[in-house]
Each structure stands twice: as structure tokens, then as C-alpha cells.
Amino acid sequence: MSLEVTAGKTPSAARLRKQSWYQRPRFKRLVAMVVTAVVMAQVTGVQGVRNDLFYALEENFTGTGIWIWLGIFLAIWAVREFFQDWARQALARVKAAAAPLPEDGTAKAAPGGLAGQVRRVADGGRRLSTLFRGHRAYQAGGLGALLLVLIMLPLMVSTFWQQVMVDQIGMFLLIAIGLNVVVGWAGMLDLGFIAFFAIGAYSAAFWTGGLPVEPPVELNNFLVVPIAVLTCLIAGVLLGAPTLRLRGDYLAIVTLGFHEIVYLTAKNWTEFTGGTRGANSDRFSLDLGFWSYEWGLDPAPYYWLQLAFIIGVLFLFLRLEHSRVGRAWTAIREDEVAAASTGVDTVRFKLLAFAIGASTSGIAGVIYASKLGFINSEMFLVLMSVLVLSYVVFGGMGSIPGVLLGTAILVWLPEYLRDTVDAQDRYMYLGGLLVVMMIYRPQGLWPSRRRQRELRMSQEGTGSADALGAQPGGAQG
Amino acid sequence: MSLSDSWDVLVLGLVLGSLYAVIAIGYTLVYGVLQLLNFAHSEVFMAGGFGGVIALTIVEPAVDPSGMQSAVYVLLGICAGAILGGTIAFGLEKAAYRPLRRRNAPRLVFLITAIGASFFLYNLAGKLFGRYPIAMPTMYENKTVFTVFGTRVSITQLIIVGAALVMLAAVDVIVNRTKLGSGIRAVAQDPEVASLMGVDIDKVVSRTFVLGGLLGGVAGFLFGTNLQVEYTMGFLPGITAFAAAVLGGIGNVRGAVLGGLLLGVVEAFTVEIWSDAWRYVGAFAVLVLVLMFRPTGLLGERVGRAA
């Protein structure tokens, strides 16, 4: 009899477990999609105007954009919730087509249609990669071809893009290579890296007689390069020596403070630096007696000069990566305590990382100041330090090709967006891209194998992927 | 600098410092549970300022408000700032940080995500509301209330310090006395053990973000009444508050308050003794000096141990 009574009701434990309709994942995903659509409508909507706070909001909520975005995101939601099997099957078909054919001769001829296309492309890619991996001659040939393309590049693009390549991409590449040593290899968090770039640029202006103060001797720009590198090395050691005791986050804020102090000094010590009004700097010139050349306003010669510097730095740094020093940095990054206990002089190697990293910024600073012929304090904002760190992580820190690729793409993107979207919104898209990239591909565009393994281990809950200590929120299953 | 001048500067510094303290708590709480430097918190602060402006633009304050009306306007602005700040912080955690937490991403990835989110948010605000400073609608006549040793204290200053004190006391009670607070402290000490003991980590993290966001939003509104609201207004106060959190010992609530007040006073005196241009140098110099001798900040780390 008692059974009959309870049969009609749900048992209490089950009732507790039961979710209301608004707690179901499906509904939560719907809400997420609607919110994303609304945000996207704001992102792609009109610009705000002066004296009417609600103009842009009103336009974006009543215009057609929001309906288009709602349509797109509701369609994604519907496919995901109700046609998941179908979508998964389609994906599996494409994957099967791209998989390598069995090698025992039973392979069927590639089917026609889309699947055949995918298979042919995938096979071609695989053949190409085995070809390159196997033979040194092909590797050298590939590198040579790449170099040739890089040398020819300024001849193929407009002056605007030549300027972008020299003033922005090339400059940030040099800086990013240096920052990669500090962040990617030694695993220290540096949020003030552009300070060294500023020091390099100001030493260029100082030694070529551009600053309000007179230098002891005026030097040729090429001679300034080693001096600037040396100055940055010293600055790196001066910053590093008192702060290297600090752990990741403390180091980050201290380096940020260092940058702010350098920036404010450049801005306010007008008797020395010229402040916001700026200072002039000489351009590069070469006089060998029998042949002389002066770099003028044309960006292309600067491009080749910069390329030469980048290749030189790359040559040195690639050798550094697997040297004794590079391995010591890896050890420090993966586990500082273990490294110290096996005899790695952690303080010395960390200082070395700081100094060597800073040196490339010195080169970049000299080239930048010489190219523009003018510098002022507003070229070295704190935001740039933050940006350049995100370039390095975006590309895949610790991996030189990744860092180069990531920096080139992220510097190129805002310039490219200049014509396609409202120029003021460029950095909004950049920020959005960073967030999406970090969620879906945290290892970066082209990670080094070693870092990828560290990341995988940290996902599984063993080891840490950087020298910053524990993971956020701890290891969660 | 005479004695009465230094009283003036001290009051200015304390007003500024109490704002920094409130923002710094947002950093420190999130750091406690996630070990994350939440760069985007400065954008939460900015959102609070815009929340206040939006709410007050909708209600359109009367031209010559009575005392009661003024109080309502101020409360409205505080609530609007808190709501928008809390919402942004909640959304940020849900959209950006939770997916990373799911896959145990390393901390640098969190940091870059925070930087990206910060760029996205402040540029979005600039796009929607225009890239120029907006003055907060007048809510009251900013009279002098009383004088301390010849230093005049205005209504705005009084409101800022009063609201900050109330919030600091509330946070202290929440962290030390409530169930949420013990959850926060448990997750800060050891997330794994906390989840074994039945603490729902996702909920605690989400609510910590909301708590920090509410505080940051109110601070944004208060900052906006003192000066102006602009899409870039979050960056420098955000960084200074972040420095304050580190100075006091990051993850430590009382340390954040101490650090915030100290940096505010140092900043005010730097401006007075040198000039406005050197504003942030003094604060960072103090930070570097303190960290050289006490590498974990004035009061030491972690919400769990020292709050």
C-alpha cells in the first residue's frame, strides 16, 4: 500500500537532481548564443557620437545587423543541438578522406567529388613535408627560396606597406625575438620590454648628436649599434639584479613599473630627451673610402638592412637555444628548484636571459630612431610592452618560427584592417582575436615541440608550463 | 611645504588611496582564487563609470536638487556602477576564463587572455560611447562640508571615502564571516582539497569575480564623479591599484587596503613635491623598494592565510 502512495510522486532524491528547464545545458547554450549575437551586433555596429550617449546603442539594437547576427548564432545553436549527428558524420567523412591511404596496395583510387579533392590536397601536403623532412639539401633550398622571397618582397608591395614592414613589422620582430628569450626560454614574465627599446632609441639619438645634450663624440649609426646593445645589456642587468628574487607576478608588476619610470623620464626630463617635442637622429650612412652610401627616405634599403640584422640575430639565437645556456634556461623554466639543486646557477642564467633579451631591443631602437630620423617619448607607451608580450605568446613562445609568424601576423593585421573596418576599432578586433586564440589554441600558432609537451603535461595535471608557479584554480579533473 | 599644505595633500591622497584600495581588492580576490593577474579588471572599473553616467543620463537629475534627491541620485549611480561592473566581471569569467580553467591552461595564457579582453572591452566602450571624456551629470552642489586643520573636505571627497569605508568593511565581513567567504578562502588555500570537501569551485570563482566586479564598478562611478568618464580611464588607475595589491601582498585583502592607501598618499605627495608629470613614478619607486626588501609584499600573500 505504501508503494502505491510513493509511486505517483517522484522520489525526493530524484526531485533534487531534477533540473528546471532554465538549468538545462541546452538552454544555457541558447542564452550564450543570444548574448554573443548581441555583442557581435555592437562590435560591428555604428560609432558613437558626441552629445548623444545612446546613439550607437539605439542604432545597433534597432538596425538590421542584430537580426543577421541572431540568425547566424541561432542557426549554429540549432545545428549543434538538433543536427549534431549529421554534422559529426559530415566531419568524419572529410577526416576519412584526409587520412593517409593504407600502404599495402589495397588502396582504392581517390573518389571523385569533394572527398577526392580533400584527399588529393592532404596527400600532396604529406608528400611535400616528407620530402623536406628527409633531405638537408631540400631544407637548404627551401630556406634559400624563402630568403629570396623576403629580399624581393619590398619590390612587390606599395610604399605604404614598405613603411609598415620596416617601421612596424621588422622592428617588432627584433623586439619579439629578444622577449622570446626572457619569456619563452627562461620563463620569466616581463611586462616592460619596450623600455629597453626606448633606451636603444635614445642612445642612438644621443650618440648621433640629436638630443639637446652634446655627446662626447658624434658617432656613425653603425657604431652606435654595439653601444646601444651594451647600454641595454647593462640596463637589463641593473633591472634584473634587484628584482630576480621575485616570483612571476611580482616580476611582472616591477618590470611594468620600470617601463613607466623610463617612459616618464623620457617624457619629463626635457633637458636631456626633448620630451614630447622629441629629438632628431641621424640616418644610417656608410663610408668605406672607395664607396659610400646614405640611407635616405626610401624604406626599401632600410628593409634590407633590417633583414640583415634580423638574420644575424636569428643565427646567433638559434645556436643559443640548444647550447648549454639554452638548456639551463629550459631547466629553470620547467622547474627552478630542481634546476638549482642540479647545479644550475639560476641567478646568473636569469640575469643573462634579461641582458641578452634586452640587447635585440637595443638594435631595434637604433634602427627605428635612424629610420624615422625623429623620436619622442610618446612612441614608447606601456601599452606597447603589453602588446609585444601578447605577440610572443600568440605565435607560440619558445619557438622562433612561431614568434616570427605571430608577430608578423599581429602587427600586419591592424594595418590591414585600416581599410576594411573603421580604423579606430582595429585594436578591438585584435583583443577579440587574442581571447579567441587563447581559448582554442593556447599553445600559439606554431609552438615548439618541447613547449607543446609541457602544455599537454600541465593539462593532464603534471608539471607546470611556465615558471610562474601553480596553475590558476589548481588542477581540476 | 607648510604643515597645512601637507594636510591638504594628505586628504587628497587618502581620497585617491581609498579608491585604489577598493579596486585593488578586486585584483586581490581574483588572484586569491585563481592566481590570475586580472588585467581586465581596469575595464570593469571603466564599465562602472559608464554605468553611472548611463543611469544618471536616463533619470536626468533636477537642476537644483534637494538633499534627499541628491542622495537618491548618488545611490542610483552607485547601484548602476555596481551592476554594470558585476555583469562585465561575470561575463568575463564565463566567456574567457572558464574555458581556460577547464583545460588547466598555464598562467601566461590566462594573462594574455586578460590583456586581450581588456583591449576588446575598452575599445568597444570607446566605439559605443564615443572616444572623448564625458562629464558625470551634476547630482549635488559640491560644497565644503567641514574643515580639518584648515583643510576643506568637499562632499565628493566625503562620499568617496564613506562609500569606500563601507565597502571595505563589507568585504572584510564577507571574506571572514560568510559561507561564500570561507569558500573563497578554501579555494585560495587549496582548490583540490576544497572541491573534495564539497566546495563548488566554479560557483566560488564566479561569485568572487562578481564581488570584485561590484567593488570595481562602484569605484569607477566614484572616480567618475570626482573627474570624468572616458573609455581609457581604467588603464592607469587599474595599473596603480594592481601595484597596490602587489605592494600589500597579493591575495591578501587587508594588504590591498593598506597598499591602496599608501600608494594614494605617495602619489599625492609626489604630485605636490615634484609635479603632476611625475605622478606615477613615486608609486612605482615605492613598490620596487618595498619588494626588494619584502618580496611577498607588506603583509604577505594569500587570502587563506592572512585575511
Side-chain angles (χ1 to χ4, degrees), chain A residues 16 55 118 134 150 193 279 356 424 475:
Chain A
L16 272 179
Y55 173 74
V118 171
L150 284 178
F193 206 67
I356 289 179
Q424 292 170 307

Side-chain angles (χ1 to χ4, degrees), chain B residues 153-270:
Chain B
V153 178
S154 70
I155 294 184
T156 307
Q157 289 173 329
L158 207 63
I159 290 175
I160 289 175
V161 174
L165 280 181
V166 170
M167 284 190 289
L168 297 180
V171 166
D172 208 60
V173 169
I174 287 174
V175 171
N176 286 321
R177 300 279 163 81
T178 63
K179 204 170 170 192
L180 173 64
S182 55
I184 292 176
R185 281 178 291 143
V187 174
Q189 273 183 350
D190 192 331
E192 267 173 81
V193 176
S195 76
L196 288 177
M197 297 293 127
V199 176
D200 185 341
I201 294 191
D202 281 348
K203 258 188 198 152
V204 168
V205 168
S206 183
R207 283 174 191 173
T208 311
F209 265 88
V210 172
L211 185 59
L214 294 176
L215 295 176
V218 177
F221 167 73
L222 295 175
F223 193 86
T225 43
N226 201 11
L227 297 164
Q228 279 168 324
V229 176
E230 198 181 0
Y231 74 111
T232 51
M233 72 185 247
F235 187 67
L236 281 173
I239 283 186
T240 317
F242 171 23
V246 171
L247 182 69
I250 193 151
N252 181 329
V253 175
R254 286 175 189 172
V257 176
L258 182 67
L261 290 175
L262 189 62
L263 283 196
V265 172
V266 167
E267 192 180 310
F269 274 98
T270 314

Side-chain angles (χ1 to χ4, degrees), chain A residues 48 245 249 425 468 470 472, chain B residues 31 34 103 107 127 132 292:
Chain A
R245 278 201 307 148
D249 310 305
D425 290 347
L468 305 184
Chain B
Y31 189 88
L34 282 189
R103 52 166 75 204
R107 303 180 50 206
K127 181 192 172 88
Y132 50 85
M292 271 167 70

